[in-house]
Amino acid sequence: MSVIYVLLAISIIVAIVFFAAFIFSVKNGQYDDSYTPSVRMLFEDEVVKQKKSLQKSNMDTSIESNN
């Protein structure tokens, strides 16, 4: 029967640790923007294409400047 008291004490300690971690993450802004990450994956290809086109244009200008 005394095992139940030990398990209750351990579970309360674990719950307090998780609650403190939650409060710490909320204060650090972990949950401020919950919308953008879900939408970012929809527009990620456009950013990659723009980066590739910029890199390609930079390489073209560097090749022209070397010649």
Side-chain angles (χ1 to χ4, degrees), residues 18-62:
F18 278 107
F19 184 69
F22 175 73
I23 295 297
F24 179 75
S25 65
V26 167
K27 283 188 176 183
N28 286 333
Q30 183 79 25
Y31 300 106
D32 283 348
D33 186 14
S34 62
Y35 179 71
T36 303
S38 64
V39 176
R40 186 180 310 147
M41 68 180 203
L42 298 174
F43 300 108
E44 187 171 317
D45 291 337
E46 293 177 9
V47 174
V48 171
K49 288 178 184 177
Q50 290 176 352
K51 285 183 180 178
K52 285 183 179 179
S53 66
L54 285 174
Q55 288 176 349
K56 189 174 183 179
S57 66
N58 288 340
M59 289 182 65
D60 291 341
T61 56
S62 66

Side-chain angles (χ1 to χ4, degrees), residues 6-22:
V6 171
L7 289 176
L8 280 173
I10 291 172
S11 65
I12 288 172
I13 290 171
V14 168
I16 289 171
V17 167
F18 278 107
F19 184 69
F22 175 73

